[in-house]
Amino acid sequence: MKTKLNINIDHIATLRQAREGDFPNPIDSIKIIRKAKANGVVMHLREDRRHIQLKDLKNFKKKYNFHLNLEMAPTLEMVKIANKIKPDVVTLVPEKRRELTTEGGLNLRKNYAKLKKIIMLLDNDIKIMLFIDPIKTQIKLALELGAYGIEINTGNYSEKSGLLQKKEIGRIKKAAIYSSEQNLFTAAGHGLNEKNLPNLVKIKQIEEYNIGHSIISNSIFYGLYESIKRIQYIIK
Ligand code: PXP
């Protein structure tokens, strides 16, 4: 099984939004992402539209037939958009307006009824992934909700160092093993970079990584193609 890599292009849009203009256009990166043989692209349409805009999703669909994972909050507004755009995968994530980035995984117990409804309303041909912390009870609930897979939140892992990071990787490994035993597609993401990825990729049960900020940032120094290749090299 070949581990997959999807590129999150939100922060190309962050740069564009800094001047509220048209440049750089995040969709112009798709050619390079495909050339580098990444497996797909991730965009998070946030409720406050701070980076990716609806026009980016439309533009992407018009121009490309390429794997799209749409990250979104579990709201009715987003369900309507997803059913129109028809991404291959929707990853449901918690969203707070004032957070700098996604903070922590979804609490599936607390939001069970709401998530059940949102999942029911999403088109059947969209695969649904749930972004959760590496906790067995959350994985059990993801199964109960009928998710196609989970994305394990590596945010906590990426912020820690030393013994605390070792402990966190242990939790991620346990969660990934359990998730794949349950036949859930098992992805991981948030805060991953060239420094913290080498230890994580030893966990064979993780089938896919979703990485954005570090790759887009490294593009300033190495270019986008080379930044993707560097991460692919670690994953291989
Ligand atoms: N996965 C999820 C669910 C996320 O919310 C994000 C950030 O948008 C990522 C992966 C990518 O994280 P990063 O930009 O830190 O690589």
Side-chain angles (χ1 to χ4, degrees):
M1 181 185 63
K2 228 175 134 215
T3 310
K4 293 179 176 167
L5 171 67
N6 294 328
I7 313 300
N8 181 314
I9 58 171
D10 291 352
H11 294 305
I12 301 178
T14 302
L15 262 183
R16 176 191 60 194
Q17 296 310 112
R19 292 286 166 94
E20 296 177 354
D22 299 326
F23 186 79
N25 183 336
I27 307 309
D28 288 346
S29 68
I30 306 298
K31 259 191 192 161
I32 302 168
I33 290 171
R34 290 179 78 161
K35 196 170 156 207
K37 297 198 165 33
N39 300 92
V41 68
V42 185
M43 287 185 254
H44 184 175
L45 185 69
R46 293 187 73 103
E47 290 180 286
D48 63 10
R49 306 292 195 270
R50 68 173 74 156
H51 37 56
I52 294 296
Q53 310 291 312
L54 183 56
K55 68 177 180 190
D56 297 321
L57 296 171
K58 288 183 177 164
N59 193 12
F60 171 84
K61 284 307 265 192
K62 205 168 90 187
K63 288 192 175 147
Y64 294 100
N65 178 17
F66 190 45
H67 181 85
L68 171 65
N69 180 338
L70 174 64
E71 268 184 38
M72 58 179 230
T75 66
L76 292 177
E77 182 208 359
M78 290 298 159
V79 166
K80 269 191 206 150
I81 293 172
N83 285 344
K84 269 203 192 124
I85 297 292
K86 300 194 184 306
D88 303 277
V89 174
V90 155
T91 300
L92 296 174
V93 299
E95 206 173 287
K96 294 187 208 126
R97 279 195 179 247
R98 296 183 67 188
E99 68 189 356
L100 286 178
T101 181
T102 313
E103 294 168 355
L106 277 167
N107 183 334
L108 301 189
R109 188 171 303 286
K110 200 169 143 202
N111 297 293
Y112 194 89
K114 179 170 86 173
L115 288 165
K116 187 105 203 152
K117 183 172 163 197
I118 295 292
I119 290 170
M120 214 182 65
L121 292 172
L122 280 164
D123 278 359
N124 281 337
D125 43 4
I126 301 175
K127 291 176 173 148
I128 295 158
M129 308 262 299
L130 300 171
F131 181 63
I132 56 172
D133 292 323
I135 299 168
K136 192 172 179 177
T137 50
Q138 294 292 320
I139 300 170
K140 283 187 176 167
L141 289 165
L143 262 179
E144 266 181 57
L145 282 162
Y148 162 73
I150 60 163
E151 180 178 339
I152 298 173
N153 175 19
T154 52
N156 222 349
Y157 164 74
S158 71
E159 282 163 13
K160 300 251 166 21
S161 58
L163 254 179
L164 288 175
Q165 195 174 47
K166 258 197 171 159
K167 228 176 150 183
E168 188 62 19
I169 208 168
R171 291 176 72 208
I172 294 172
K173 185 172 180 178
K174 261 172 96 178
I177 290 172
Y178 183 67
S179 167
S180 72
E181 279 172 0
Q182 305 306 311
N183 289 320
L184 284 167
F185 185 79
T186 305
H190 210 278
L192 298 178
N193 57 36
E194 293 180 9
K195 255 187 165 169
N196 59 30
L197 195 56
N199 276 331
L200 208 60
V201 296
K202 293 176 191 158
I203 304 173
K204 296 296 170 219
Q205 287 78 6
I206 298 177
E207 298 171 79
E208 180 181 79
Y209 290 95
N210 296 314
I211 305 182
H213 187 267
S214 71
I215 290 179
I216 304 306
S217 304
N218 266 339
S219 302
I220 295 167
F221 306 107
Y222 309 119
L224 180 56
Y225 181 87
E226 191 56 31
S227 304
I228 295 171
K229 287 290 158 199
R230 290 167 69 99
I231 290 286
Q232 283 171 332
Y233 180 74
I234 296 170
I235 292 174
K236 267 186 201 155

